[in-house]
Coordinates of all heavy atoms in Angstrom, one line a residue:
N432 N 47.1 52.0 53.4 CA 47.4 51.6 54.8 C 47.8 50.1 54.9 O 48.7 49.8 55.7 CB 46.2 51.9 55.7 CG 45.9 53.4 55.9 OD1 46.8 54.2 55.8 ND2 44.7 53.7 56.2
L433 N 47.1 49.3 54.2 CA 47.5 47.9 54.2 C 48.9 47.6 53.8 O 49.6 46.8 54.4 CB 46.5 47.1 53.3 CG 46.8 45.6 53.2 CD1 46.8 44.9 54.6 CD2 45.7 44.9 52.3
E434 N 49.4 48.3 52.8 CA 50.8 48.2 52.4 C 51.8 48.5 53.5 O 52.8 47.8 53.7 CB 51.0 49.0 51.1 CG 50.4 48.5 49.9 CD 50.3 49.5 48.8 OE1 50.5 50.7 49.0 OE2 50.0 49.1 47.6
F435 N 51.5 49.5 54.3 CA 52.3 49.9 55.4 C 52.3 48.8 56.5 O 53.2 48.4 57.1 CB 51.9 51.2 56.0 CG 52.3 52.4 55.2 CD1 51.4 53.4 54.9 CD2 53.6 52.7 54.9 CE1 51.7 54.5 54.1 CE2 54.0 53.8 54.2 CZ 53.0 54.7 53.8
I436 N 51.0 48.3 56.8 CA 50.9 47.2 57.8 C 51.6 46.0 57.5 O 52.4 45.4 58.2 CB 49.4 46.9 58.0 CG1 48.6 48.1 58.5 CG2 49.2 45.8 59.0 CD1 47.1 47.9 58.5
L437 N 51.5 45.6 56.2 CA 52.3 44.4 55.8 C 53.8 44.6 55.8 O 54.5 43.7 56.1 CB 51.8 44.0 54.4 CG 50.4 43.4 54.2 CD1 50.0 43.3 52.8 CD2 50.2 42.1 55.0
S438 N 54.2 45.8 55.6 CA 55.5 46.1 55.6 C 56.1 46.0 57.0 O 57.3 45.5 57.2 CB 55.8 47.6 55.0 OG 55.5 47.7 53.7
I439 N 55.4 46.4 57.9 CA 55.8 46.4 59.3 C 55.8 44.9 59.8 O 56.8 44.5 60.5 CB 55.0 47.3 60.2 CG1 55.2 48.7 59.9 CG2 55.2 47.0 61.7 CD1 54.2 49.7 60.5
E440 N 54.8 44.1 59.4 CA 54.9 42.7 59.7 C 56.1 42.0 59.1 O 56.8 41.2 59.7 CB 53.6 41.9 59.3 CG 53.7 40.5 59.8 CD 52.5 39.6 59.2 OE1 51.6 40.1 58.5 OE2 52.6 38.3 59.5
L441 N 56.4 42.3 57.9 CA 57.6 41.8 57.2 C 58.9 42.2 57.9 O 59.8 41.4 58.1 CB 57.6 42.2 55.8 CG 58.7 41.6 54.8 CD1 58.9 40.1 54.9 CD2 58.6 42.1 53.4
L442 N 59.0 43.4 58.3 CA 60.2 43.9 59.0 C 60.3 43.1 60.3 O 61.4 42.6 60.7 CB 60.0 45.4 59.3 CG 61.1 46.1 60.3 CD1 62.4 46.1 59.5 CD2 60.6 47.5 60.6
S443 N 59.2 42.9 61.0 CA 59.2 42.1 62.3 C 59.5 40.7 62.1 O 60.3 40.1 62.8 CB 57.9 42.4 63.0 OG 57.6 43.7 63.2
A444 N 58.9 40.1 61.1 CA 59.1 38.7 60.9 C 60.5 38.4 60.4 O 61.1 37.3 60.8 CB 58.1 38.2 59.8
C445 N 61.1 39.3 59.6 CA 62.5 39.1 59.2 C 63.4 39.1 60.5 O 64.4 38.4 60.6 CB 62.9 40.1 58.2 SG 62.3 39.8 56.6
Q446 N 63.2 40.1 61.4 CA 63.9 40.2 62.6 C 63.8 38.9 63.5 O 64.8 38.3 63.9 CB 63.4 41.4 63.4 CG 64.0 41.7 64.8 CD 65.4 42.3 64.7 OE1 65.9 42.6 63.6 NE2 66.1 42.5 65.8
A447 N 62.5 38.5 63.5 CA 62.2 37.3 64.5 C 62.9 36.0 64.0 O 63.3 35.2 64.8 CB 60.7 37.1 64.6
I448 N 62.9 35.8 62.6 CA 63.3 34.5 62.2 C 64.8 34.3 62.4 O 65.3 33.2 62.4 CB 62.8 34.4 60.7 CG1 62.7 32.9 60.4 CG2 63.9 35.0 59.7 CD1 61.9 32.7 59.1
E449 N 65.5 35.4 62.5 CA 67.0 35.3 62.7 C 67.3 34.8 64.1 O 68.4 34.3 64.4 CB 67.6 36.7 62.5 CG 67.5 37.1 61.1 CD 68.6 38.0 60.6 OE1 69.8 38.0 61.3 OE2 68.4 38.8 59.7
F450 N 66.3 34.8 65.0 CA 66.5 34.2 66.4 C 66.3 32.6 66.3 O 66.5 32.0 67.4 CB 65.6 34.8 67.4 CG 65.9 36.2 67.7 CD1 65.2 37.3 67.2 CD2 67.0 36.5 68.6 CE1 65.5 38.6 67.5 CE2 67.4 37.9 68.9 CZ 66.5 39.0 68.3
R451 N 66.0 32.1 65.2 CA 65.9 30.7 65.0 C 67.2 30.1 64.4 O 67.3 28.9 64.2 CB 64.7 30.3 64.0 CG 63.4 30.7 64.6 CD 63.0 30.1 65.9 NE 61.8 30.7 66.5 CZ 61.4 30.5 67.8 NH1 62.1 29.8 68.6 NH2 60.2 31.0 68.2
R452 N 68.2 30.9 64.1 CA 69.4 30.4 63.6 C 70.1 29.6 64.6 O 70.0 29.8 65.8 CB 70.3 31.6 63.2 CG 69.7 32.5 62.1 CD 69.4 31.7 60.8 NE 68.9 32.6 59.8 CZ 67.9 32.3 59.0 NH1 67.3 31.2 59.1 NH2 67.6 33.2 58.0
P453 N 70.8 28.5 64.2 CA 71.3 28.2 62.8 C 70.3 27.5 62.0 O 70.5 27.2 60.8 CB 72.5 27.4 63.0 CG 72.2 26.6 64.2 CD 71.5 27.5 65.1
L454 N 69.1 27.2 62.5 CA 68.1 26.5 61.7 C 67.6 27.4 60.5 O 67.6 28.7 60.7 CB 66.9 26.1 62.5 CG 67.1 25.1 63.5 CD1 65.8 25.0 64.4 CD2 67.4 23.7 62.9

Side-chain angles (χ1 to χ4, degrees):
N432 290 335
L433 176 56
E434 288 163 346
F435 285 124
I436 295 167
L437 291 172
S438 299
I439 292 170
E440 185 187 356
L441 181 54
L442 176 68
S443 304
C445 283
Q446 177 81 3
I448 210 162
E449 296 206 26
F450 291 102
R451 300 301 175 191
R452 299 301 184 223
L454 292 172

